[in-house]
């Protein structure tokens, strides 16, 4: 079982927690670090064949980011499950405040359960799918 | 300090496809004794060209010194080392594989990504490849695509050696499948061991070894081996090592810092850069880690054999506007050069086209070599850097006949610079000093570096002439 992890911004606390949990669960973790881009995720999936990508986000870009990752996964014929955690929000409809976009992200097929204790089962599920 | 067992003088030879070149270096004075070149005889009997070089060396240094001298050689004969690279993702294993192949002195005729298709295999089989570099995957990653590619290669009739430098989990399958199918193959350390890491030392070494042990024999150079102390490495690898020394410096001499070396030829244009990988204005660096010394070869950009494809890149209408010639006049010149690669420009129209092609070859190949900034909006970072940041390069050096003998080398070398207002995202220098390798000495300095870095460094510095 291998997992690609990263964060969309400078905040890496959540990513480090996920890394520790995945390591403890016996997964091989490929840590892309902070400020990861959708392209980087897909290129690394092509190299690792990981079925799960766990991304931590905090900077109000959750929906745009998830949408681009999902599009790139489809374009490259990749089956990996995107698991997005942290602050799943983004400005919507020209508003000046970021709002929760969990449902919209979930509708893309992304796991937005956002619970640390559910991460490992979700990664395992990606390998059983 | 020269090691005690070294002779005072070293004869340095390069077996090229056009010329067999010779330089004699004096290790005590750290200077060039003589340099010369003769038409290549590699296609018939390499000993003939070498004998001419030796006669010229003897004349300059004397029979006794010649006998006592060490004789080292490089080779780029018969089109150099032609390779194919098979990898998984464009910016990671393929980029790392291509960089390693270029660094070892090869030119790359074909690159494939992901699962090998039948079409990929047919294209690989149709090309005159001498080595295939097969890579992909981090350590402990998955191997499904690698396993597929192993089977495709094992079942193929590709006769050339295959170097496997991918995920070591797939190495047993490589050994089993390639042994059973009778392939010549080599398994080396993974070129891409983990995220952010590149390990290309072993793969570069094995490419050079395969080149020297197997391919040089096929190229009729076996007969000269007894006349030399050592065939050291492919010429481009030697030039790459020379430029690296110039940038870094020798134990007692300060290096030049970040530099670019440009070699425009009839068939190809080589760009070398020597600079530490660095982010441009805080951009996020993505893709396989770049190396300090980087070489790329553009097989479609050259002034004679590749003049047609180079002109296609420049655009005939732009070429006509820039030179003031009619498109038909330009086409006529190109056709003459395609027919006879040895022609030199004589008429005013030919000189104009030659200058234009030299500028175009440098302009395009420098931009293919250098990194660039991409502005993105869907990630937490606003700018992403693909490739190598060369904005801090202070010196651009021209080598190869077309630049050394150009009547306007500054215009050609200047094409490597970026115009910040027009191309702000191209990571080339905006300003730099221009130099010419007037003695055509870099191949020799790379060979000499193997035994005496101080002499090699001095030889280059003495050859380099500033042009403005």
């Amino acid at each position: 079982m291998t997992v690609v992890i990263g964060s969309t911004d400078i905040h890496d606390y959540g990513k480090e927690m996920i890394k520790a949990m995945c390591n403890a669960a016996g997964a091989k973790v490929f840590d892309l670090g902070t400020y990861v881009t959708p392209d980087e995720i897909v290129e690394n999936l092509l190299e690792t064949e990981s079925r799960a990508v766990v991304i931590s986000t905090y900077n109000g870009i959750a929906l745009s980011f998830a949408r681009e990752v999902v599009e790139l996964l489809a374009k490259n014929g990749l089956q990996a499950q995107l698991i997005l955690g942290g602050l799943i929000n983004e400005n919507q409809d020209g508003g000046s405040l970021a709002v929760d976009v969990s449902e919209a992200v979930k509708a893309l097929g992304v796991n937005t359960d956002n619970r640390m204790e559910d991460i490992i089962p979700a990664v395992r599920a990606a390998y059983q799918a | 300090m020269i090691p005690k067992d070294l002779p005072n003088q070293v004869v340095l030879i390069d077996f090229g496809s056009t010329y067999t070149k010779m330089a004699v270096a004096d290790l005590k004075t750290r200077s060039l004794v003589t340099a010369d070149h003769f038409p290549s005889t590699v296609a018939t009997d390499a000993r003939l060209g070498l004998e001419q070089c030796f006669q010229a060396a003897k004349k300059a240094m004397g029979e006794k010194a010649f006998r006592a001298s060490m004789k080292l050689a490089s080779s780029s004969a018969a089109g150099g080392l032609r390779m194919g690279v098979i990898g998984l993702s464009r910016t990671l294993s393929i980029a790392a594989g291509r960089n390693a192949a270029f660094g070892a002195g090869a030119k790359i005729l074909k690159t494939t990504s992901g699962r090998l298709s039948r079409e990929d295999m047919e294209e690989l089989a149709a090309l005159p490849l001498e080595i295939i570099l097969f890579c992909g995957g981090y350590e402990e990653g998955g191997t499904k695509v690698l396993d597929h590619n192993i089977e495709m290669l094992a079942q193929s009739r590709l006769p050339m050696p295959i170097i496997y430098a991918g995920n070591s989990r797939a190495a047993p399958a490589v050994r089993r499948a390639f042994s059973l199918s009778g392939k010549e193959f080599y398994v080396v350390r993974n070129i891409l061991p983990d995220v952010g890491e590149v390990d290309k030392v072993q793969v570069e070494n094995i490419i050079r070894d395969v080149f020297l042990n197997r391919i040089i024999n096929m190229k009729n150079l076996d007969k000269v081996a007894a006349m030399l102390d050592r065939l050291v490495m492919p010429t481009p690898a030697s030039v790459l090592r020379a430029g690296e020394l110039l940038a870094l410096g020798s134990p007692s001499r300060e290096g030049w810092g970040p530099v670019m070396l440009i070699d425009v030829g009839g068939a190809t244009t080589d760009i070398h850069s020597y600079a530490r990988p660095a982010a441009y204005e805080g951009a996020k660096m993505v893709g396989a880690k770049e190396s300090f010394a980087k070489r790329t070869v553009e097989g479609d950009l050259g002034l004679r054999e590749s003049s047609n494809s180079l002109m296609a890149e420049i655009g005939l209408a732009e070429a006509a506007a820039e030179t003031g010639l009619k498109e038909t006049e330009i086409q006529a010149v190109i056709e003459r050069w395609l027919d006879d690669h040895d022609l030199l420009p004589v008429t005013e129209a030919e000189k104009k086209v030659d200058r234009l092609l030299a500028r175009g070859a440098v302009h395009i190949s420098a931009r293919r070599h250098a990194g660039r900034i991409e502005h993105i909006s869907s990630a937490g970072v606003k700018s992403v850097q693909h490739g190598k940041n060369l904005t801090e390069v202070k010196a651009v050096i021209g080598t190869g006949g077309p630049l050394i003998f150009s009547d306007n080398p500054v215009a050609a070398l200047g094409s490597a610079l970026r115009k910040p207002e027009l191309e702000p995202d191209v990571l080339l220098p905006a300003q730099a000093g221009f130099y010419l390798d007037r003695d055509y000495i870099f191949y020799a300095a790379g060979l000499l570096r193997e035994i005496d870095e101080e002499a090699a460094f001095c030889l280059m510095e003495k050859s380099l002439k500033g042009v403005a």
Side-chain angles (χ1 to χ4, degrees), chain A residues 40 43-44 47-49 68, chain B residues 89 91 93 137-138 142 284 378:
Chain A
E40 252 184 305
E43 295 278 289
N44 278 279
E47 296 293 341
T48 61
E49 298 180 3
E68 191 168 343
Chain B
S89 78
T91 64
S93 54
Y138 297 128
K284 166 87 188 275
S378 62

Side-chain angles (χ1 to χ4, degrees), chain B residues 50-219:
Chain B
L50 181 60
E51 199 49 58
Q52 284 179 298
C53 287
F54 279 0
Q55 289 303 329
K58 278 179 204 168
K59 199 174 169 187
M61 62 200 291
E63 185 76 36
K64 192 178 167 190
F66 176 81
R67 273 203 306 274
S69 68
M70 180 180 273
K71 297 159 192 83
L72 304 176
S74 59
S75 170
S76 61
L81 172 61
R82 297 178 292 265
M83 287 185 62
V85 176
I86 294 169
L88 296 180
S89 78
R90 186 179 50 83
T91 64
L92 296 169
S93 54
I94 292 173
R98 286 175 61 88
N99 284 345
F102 282 141
K107 63 181 179 184
I108 298 167
L109 302 192
K110 168 83 179 159
T111 301
T112 73
S113 62
R115 289 170 68 87
L116 283 168
S117 64
R118 288 192 185 284
E119 292 74 29
D120 287 331
M121 300 309 296
E122 282 166 14
E123 283 182 47
L124 288 167
L127 291 165
L129 299 174
E130 289 160 314
I131 299 176
I132 284 180
L133 174 59
F134 174 23
C135 50
Y138 297 128
E139 289 301 282
E140 299 183 62
T143 61
K144 281 184 186 162
V145 179
L146 290 172
D147 290 340
H148 166 84
N149 290 351
I150 290 166
E151 283 309 308
M152 292 294 277
L153 288 166
Q155 287 166 18
S156 75
R157 290 187 180 174
L158 295 174
M160 66 292 289
I162 300 172
I163 297 170
Y164 178 68
N167 182 354
S168 64
R169 270 187 176 171
V174 167
R175 289 192 180 93
R176 188 172 52 246
F178 291 179
S179 296
L180 287 173
S181 58
K183 299 280 182 211
E184 179 181 347
F185 69 96
Y186 305 85
V187 176
V188 297
R189 285 200 305 265
N190 189 351
I191 196 170
L192 206 64
D194 206 343
V195 177
E197 291 178 20
V198 170
D199 178 2
K200 60 191 180 78
V201 174
Q202 208 176 31
V203 73
E204 284 187 355
N205 286 342
I206 197 82
I207 293 170
R208 282 176 204 156
D209 284 352
V210 172
F211 176 73
L212 293 171
N213 294 337
R214 181 178 190 280
I215 293 165
I216 284 182
N217 288 345
M218 290 166 60
K219 287 179 177 166

